[in-house]
Amino acid sequence: QVQLVESGGGLVQAGGSLRLSCAASGRTESMYAMDWFRQAPGKERELVARIAWSGGNTYYADSAKGRFTISGDNAKNTMYLQMNSLKPEDTAVYYCAADLGGITRGRYWGQGTQVTVSS
């Protein structure tokens, strides 16, 4: 298994920036990708961005393209999400997830961090 701890959420005005962090511990050698999801009140959880842990290939949802940047530090087993030009519609609980292979195959979730963007 892997344990994930997010940090960096908070309240910011529209147009501002935040950087989220997700620190992984445990069977991190089995991670092949990490993801940021978000869930706004009354909405389904949606994928925001994804990074391959080996090679660093990235994917962004259309809502994140051009404003958010996902990155990872393999040495620290930490993933980041730099969010710029934030909009009120970005308000949500942001969750990090790790995708593991091998005998611990599955997706593991962090506890979530609240991001609130005021207009």
Side-chain angles (χ1 to χ4, degrees), residues 28-107:
T28 56
E29 68 278 8
S30 297
M31 296 193 308
Y32 64 87
M34 294 189 76
D35 319 279
W36 286 103
F37 285 79
R38 69 185 182 186
Q39 187 166 20
K43 295 188 177 181
E44 293 187 354
R45 191 171 297 188
E46 62 176 359
L47 177 65
V48 176
R50 178 178 174 90
I51 185 166
W53 210 235
S54 176
N57 289 341
T58 58
Y59 163 85
Y60 295 94
D62 287 344
S63 59
K65 288 179 181 176
R67 300 188 300 127
F68 295 1
T69 302
I70 189 170
S71 61
D73 184 331
N74 295 65
K76 296 181 179 179
N77 290 316
T78 301
M79 174 179 64
Y80 305 96
L81 185 68
Q82 178 67 43
M83 303 187 293
N84 298 328
S85 302
L86 283 162
K87 306 174 182 180
E89 50 264 44
D90 294 317
T91 295
V93 177
Y94 283 70
Y95 297 90
C96 74
D99 299 310
L100 271 63
I103 61 173
T104 54
R105 178 176 296 276
R107 173 168 286 165

